[in-house]
Amino acid sequence: MLRRALLVALLALVTVPIAAQGPAGWKVRPDGGNTTLSVMPTEKGFQLAGGPGIFFNPANTVKPIYRVRAVFTQLKAPAKPTYYGLFFGGNEMDGTAPEYVYFAIAQDGSFIIRHRAGAQVDEMDKSLHYAIKKPDAAGKAVNTLEVQVAPTAVSYLVNGAVVDATPTRGAIAGNSFTVAEKIGGIGGVRVDDPIDVQVDGFLFQSPFTLNDRGQ
C-alpha cells in the first residue's frame, strides 16, 4: 500500500463539548484554533457544517472485534474536493497529539485511508472505486460507510462493497498502523475540509455478527 507522510497544521489543544442542542455526550475537535465545525441534530442523526475536524462520543470506545457504520449525505457541493467519513481507533483524544485511523470518500468517487498522530498524517491507501456514489447535479450524494475490525483483518466498505482490507497478521509483520493494539479506541466522524454533510444511523457495535462481515 502507498504510504507517504504529510505534514499538517497543529491540532487544537483541547476538545470542545458541543452546545446543548447537539447529541448528548458528543464532542467536536477542530483541527486548528481558527477552524469552525458546527453540529445540528436531525431526526436520525446530526448535520455537520464546516471543518476540518472530528466529531465523536467518548462512550463509543471498544477493543476489537467491532464495527463502525453511518449513512453520509453530502447536502451540497463543497468549495473544493473534500474527504469525509469515519474514524476509529481513537486514543489520547483530549491530549495534544490524538491518534486515529480514518476512512473517507470524496466527490470524484475516491476513498482514502489515513493514520493521524498529532500533526503527522500517513496515507495508507487512496483509490477510485465504483461503489462510491458521486454527487448529482445539485451536489447531493448518499453513501453508507463502514469499517469492520476483526481478528484477521480490517475491512473498509462503501454501500456494502469492500473497497479495501488489511490483513492483520500481514500488517503486524509490515509494521502497519492497523495492528490490534492500535485500532482499539474511540470511533466517530471526520471531515477534511469545510463541507455540509448529514450523518444518519451512526452505529458503533462490538462485537458484530460474523455473517455481517464484508470480507
Side-chain angles (χ1 to χ4, degrees):
M1 287 185 179
L2 175 66
R3 288 184 173 85
R4 60 186 177 87
L6 305 172
L7 292 180
V8 296
L10 289 175
L11 293 169
L13 294 182
V14 295
T15 54
V16 182
I18 62 175
Q21 70 269 19
W26 288 72
K27 295 182 177 181
V28 167
R29 179 160 187 151
D31 280 3
N34 296 325
T35 299
T36 59
L37 182 59
S38 63
V39 184
M40 181 175 64
T42 61
E43 182 179 355
K44 297 181 180 180
F46 48 87
Q47 179 180 336
L48 295 175
I54 54 176
F55 184 52
F56 64 95
N57 186 340
N60 294 330
T61 305
V62 296
K63 296 181 179 180
I65 306 168
Y66 66 91
R67 67 176 174 178
V68 187
R69 182 176 66 197
V71 179
F72 290 82
T73 302
Q74 178 182 295
L75 299 174
K76 61 181 180 180
K80 64 178 181 178
T82 298
Y83 285 96
Y84 59 92
L86 300 168
F87 80 83
F88 65 101
N91 289 278
E92 303 297 328
M93 304 305 288
D94 290 322
T96 58
E99 181 177 6
Y100 54 88
V101 176
Y102 70 96
F103 169 51
I105 59 172
Q107 296 70 42
D108 62 354
S110 65
F111 71 87
I112 56 170
I113 303 170
R114 289 175 173 171
H115 172 266
R116 184 169 187 140
Q120 181 171 323
V121 178
D122 294 287
E123 191 164 288
M124 299 163 61
D125 200 5
K126 180 179 181 180
S127 181
L128 296 169
H129 200 280
Y130 71 89
I132 301 171
K133 297 178 182 177
K134 297 180 181 180
D136 59 19
K140 184 176 181 179
V142 181
N143 288 278
T144 299
L145 274 64
E146 182 170 353
V147 177
Q148 299 181 351
V149 179
T152 57
V154 179
S155 297
Y156 303 87
L157 295 81
V158 178
N159 299 319
V162 177
V163 301
D164 205 336
T166 303
T168 304
R169 292 181 180 177
I172 293 174
N175 194 29
S176 171
F177 296 110
T178 55
V179 298
E181 291 79 6
K182 295 183 180 180
I183 55 180
I186 296 173
V189 174
R190 164 83 195 175
V191 294
D192 261 3
D193 285 295
I195 193 171
D196 289 340
V197 61
Q198 182 171 312
V199 183
D200 294 323
F202 182 88
L203 173 70
F204 198 75
Q205 184 182 30
S206 176
F208 64 91
T209 304
L210 292 180
N211 290 338
D212 293 339
R213 289 175 58 187
Q215 44 192 71

